[in-house]
Structure formats: C-alpha cells, structure tokens
Amino acid sequence: MHRGVDAPRTPAVGGSAAAEQAPAKPPDTGAHLQQRFDALIADDERIEPRDWMPTGYRKTLIRQIAQHAHSEIIGMQPEGNWITRAPSLRRKAILIAKVQDEAGHGLYLYSAAETLGVDREDLLDLLHEGKQKYSSIFNYPTLSWADMGAIGWLVDGAAIMNQVPLCRCSYGPYGRAMVRVCKEESFHQRQGFDILHTLSHGTPAQQAMAQDAVDRFWWPSLMMFGPPDERSAHTAQSTAWGIKRLGNDELRQRFVDICVPQARALDITLPDPDLRWNENRGHYDFGAVDWAELTRVIKGDGPCNEQRIQRRRSAHEEGAWVREAADAYARKHHNSSAAEALA
Ligand code: BYC
C-alpha cells in the first residue's frame, strides 16, 4: 500500500517527556539517507520529490520521463497529418481530441520531470539538439487513413501495456501521471480498433488498406518495448529501483498474446509466419524482431527522423510568442496580487 503524499516519514513524537525519552535522531549522513531510501523501495513505498534519492535514481527518472514526454508531443505529428483528411466530421473530431490528449500527456510528464529539479525548457532544448530520445515508433510515416487505426490499436495498445505497470512506479509524480494517461490511452486504443474494424469489414480496397497498415506497424510496435532484456542497459537497475516493474521482453510477450485474438476479431493477419501458440509456454511464439532496425531508427536513421525533429523545432519557434504572452500575463497577475496584498 502506498503512503499518501503528506504522510509523515517518521512516527510523531507525543509530548516533551516522550521527546526526552526518544532515541537521538540518527544524523542525516549519506549512509543513513541511502538506508532510508533502500527501506522505502524494499517496502514498496513511494519516493516523493522532497525525499533524498541517489543521483542515479534521479538521473534515470529524468531520462525516462523526458523521453516519454518527448514521445507524447512528437507523437502528435504522425496523427496530425490526417486531421484535415479524416473521412468524416465525426472521425475528424475524434482525431483532434486524441491529438490534443497527447499534448496533455506531454504536459503531465514534463511537470513530473520538473519535480526532479530540471527545467522543461532545458529538456526541450535537449530534444531539439538530438541529445534526448523519443520513441522510435514516431519515425514511421502515416501513409493512409488506416494508419490512424493501426496507431490507435497497436501503438496505443503497446503504450498501455508498457504504462499500466508504470502506474506503480516507485516515484510518486510519475506513477500518478501514468494513471490518468492510461485512462485516456484506453480510449485511444478503442478508437483505433474501431477504425480498423470498420475498414476490415468494408470494401476489398478498405480491407487491403487496413491489412497494409498493420503490416507496416506490427514490427515497429514490438520495438516500442525496447531491446531484449539481455541487451537492455537500464532494465536491471530500473527494476531493482521499482521504476520499471516488468522487463522489456515480458511486456512484449504480453502484448503479442493480447493482439493475436484481437487481430482475429478484426479479420486481419499479423505479418509473422512464425506466430503460433506454444502449449508448453502458455504464450504465443513469435518471429525474430529486427533489432538492427531499432538501433538505426533510434540513432536517427529512420524514415522520418529528420522531418519530425525539424517540425518540432519550427513548432517551438512559432510558439515563442505564446510562451512570452503567458509569462507576461503571469507577471502581471503576480504584481497585481502583490499590490492587493499591500493595500
Ligand atoms: N525508442 O535499457 P533500455 C506513447 C533506448 S509514447 C527509442 O531498455 P529503458 C504514445 C532507451 O531510452 C511511447 N529509444 O532503456 C504517444 C535507452 O537509451 P539511453 C513512449 C528506445 O529506459 C503518443 C536505450 O535504448 N513510451 O506511447 O530501461 C501517441 C536502451 O534501452 C526505445 C515511454 O517512453 C525505443 N523504442 O527502457 C500514442 C514509456 N527502446 O537513454 C502513443 C516509458 C529503448 O540509454 N519508457 N530505447 O540513451 C519506458 O518504459 C522505457 O524507457 C523503455 C526503454 C521501455 C522505452
């Protein structure tokens, strides 16, 4: 059971007599702080912003939360591409709402990162300079309307699989942000499934379009979970710290297991000839993922890396006046509140 944000770390001391009898508080030495942190992690308690934490824990969280936030806002681009071409007013309104949700997710996540002592502007600079990553999946183009279905079904589906365990992340602000994000992602996943279901039960041309989208997005979706655990630089330590609750391979396997029956309901074939139920393992076996492709895309050599980052930079520059106006408004508001307090 997680402690609430404001719950005390140490038992309250009753009166002064009790205080006199209480054992002397151990000094906050490095070793003592580390022990307290380790005990919180071992008890599955949450670490909050005011708590001491090892430098590595803080750095890992900043890296992961920032990468996650960047993914949310870069993830608006492939879908934004279809807002003007959605096939009906209803589909357009839903897609606009979804893209707007992604911006909101970015905001929750940048705010969660800021509780670790970093500045959102600095994180954005790191993204724009190519010094921080975002998810590989958003470097693939969205070529047809069916891609909106495949992204919703597969990409949001993979995101939910990855993010539900993150709701139990040992760092409080990240875990709490994930709760809300996951609720919204499940709507996104259903809208994607609905788009594909409509197309795959439509004309032969629509069926082919749905199949083609799934053919292109299936393998990149499996790559979203990261490299295999044995090659993952961070999984062991992040799991020991309770940041990640499950490894990359286990989440990928769960995703495959859940997608197979859903693909059947969609009348869509997953593009993997090695996909079959393994009675002994109680899981679906699946073919080899092209890890060289993931490495290439992460390093900047995916089909749309350049376009995505350029668009992001120009959106940031074009939005400078909005940030300036918001700052000016905040200053004015602050000054008039201060003047009122003095009156
Ligand atoms: N793409 O040791 P590993 C969304 C990097 S948003 C790019 O396993 P870790 C959505 C990794 O960062 C989707 N990079 O790392 C939004 C590390 O690099 P550095 C984003 C990847 O962190 C809008 C290195 O490879 N979701 O779903 O333990 C619309 C070694 O990997 C990728 C999140 O960010 C990749 N696919 O595990 C719709 C969730 N995979 O930093 C949907 C939170 C690995 O050492 N993040 N790398 O240079 C996580 O759960 C974890 O960070 C990961 C990677 C599972 C992604």
Side-chain angles (χ1 to χ4, degrees):
M1 186 70 180
H2 289 303
R3 196 170 28 81
V5 180
D6 297 322
R9 279 283 180 239
T10 44
V13 177
S16 57
E20 275 164 28
Q21 286 161 18
K25 195 170 162 248
D28 273 351
T29 59
H32 176 247
L33 292 169
Q34 178 74 51
Q35 270 171 16
R36 205 157 55 172
F37 172 85
D38 291 344
L40 289 171
I41 296 290
D43 291 347
D44 213 6
E45 296 256 4
R46 277 202 152 144
I47 308 297
E48 296 297 339
R50 61 170 182 228
D51 291 332
W52 181 89
M53 59 189 85
T55 309
Y57 180 83
R58 188 184 297 276
K59 269 176 74 177
T60 299
L61 280 166
I62 293 172
R63 179 186 61 78
Q64 179 166 329
I65 300 174
Q67 170 175 321
H68 195 165
H70 299 330
S71 304
E72 297 286 353
I73 60 165
I74 296 262
M76 296 166 74
Q77 293 185 35
E79 293 180 293
N81 184 33
W82 280 89
I83 289 176
T84 54
R85 289 175 285 163
S88 69
L89 185 58
R90 183 172 156 269
R91 293 287 188 200
K92 189 193 285 268
I94 294 170
L95 189 59
I96 290 173
K98 180 179 191 259
V99 172
Q100 213 168 2
D101 282 352
E102 311 301 0
H105 297 173
L107 290 182
Y108 310 153
L109 286 160
Y110 285 119
S111 299
E114 286 189 314
T115 65
L116 290 156
V118 286
D119 192 77
R120 182 186 314 190
E121 278 297 308
D122 295 336
L123 296 179
L124 285 168
D125 286 346
L126 291 170
L127 168 67
H128 299 152
E129 290 158 13
K131 292 183 182 154
Q132 273 183 345
K133 300 183 166 76
Y134 58 91
S135 182
S136 52
I137 192 73
F138 302 117
N139 291 310
Y140 293 85
T142 44
L143 304 177
S144 76
W145 169 250
D147 289 8
M148 298 303 96
I151 288 188
W153 178 46
L154 295 173
V155 176
D156 286 279
I160 295 168
M161 188 57 79
N162 169 268
Q163 286 165 199
V164 166
L166 290 175
C167 296
R168 293 186 296 113
C169 171
S170 59
Y171 187 59
Y174 191 30
R176 288 189 287 276
M178 282 298 100
V179 173
R180 185 150 173 195
V181 169
C182 284
K183 284 185 184 158
E184 293 177 355
E185 296 290 19
S186 62
F187 275 109
H188 298 173
Q189 197 261 359
R190 283 170 205 205
Q191 70 89 37
F193 188 90
D194 182 64
I195 290 173
L196 283 182
H197 195 271
T198 304
L199 292 173
S200 67
H201 292 83
T203 64
Q206 288 171 324
Q207 288 166 15
M209 200 196 287
Q211 182 64 57
D212 171 64
V214 172
D215 287 348
R216 284 181 288 108
F217 275 94
W218 173 248
W219 293 105
S221 299
L222 296 192
M223 294 174 198
M224 285 175 70
F225 296 94
D229 292 345
E230 60 183 27
R231 281 198 252 156
S232 157
H234 307 291
T235 294
Q237 182 59 73
S238 289
T239 311
W241 275 329
I243 294 174
K244 282 166 93 163
R245 293 290 176 170
L246 297 168
N248 300 354
D249 291 326
E250 173 156 7
L251 289 168
R252 189 168 13 251
Q253 179 70 63
R254 288 186 182 194
F255 178 67
V256 171
D257 290 348
I258 228 170
C259 284
V260 173
Q262 291 182 359
R264 227 172 270 137
L266 285 171
D267 270 334
I268 279 178
T269 308
L270 293 174
D272 179 359
D274 297 325
L275 197 59
R276 63 183 60 87
W277 179 250
N278 182 324
E279 196 63 51
N280 293 332
R281 293 201 311 120
H283 290 290
Y284 282 93
D285 288 337
F286 55 98
V289 179
D290 183 353
W291 297 119
E293 177 177 327
L294 175 64
T295 307
R296 263 198 321 275
V297 177
I298 291 180
K299 286 197 170 151
D301 196 17
C304 300
N305 294 57
E306 221 174 293
Q307 177 187 333
R308 298 290 185 241
I309 211 71
Q310 286 213 351
R311 179 69 199 108
R312 171 90 275 287
R313 283 195 201 119
S314 61
H316 192 69
E317 281 158 21
E318 285 159 20
W321 70 271
V322 179
R323 292 189 297 280
E324 278 163 29
D327 274 351
Y329 178 78
R331 267 196 311 276
K332 191 172 143 191
H333 193 68
H334 175 80
N335 292 343
S336 62
S337 310
E340 260 174 44
L342 290 174

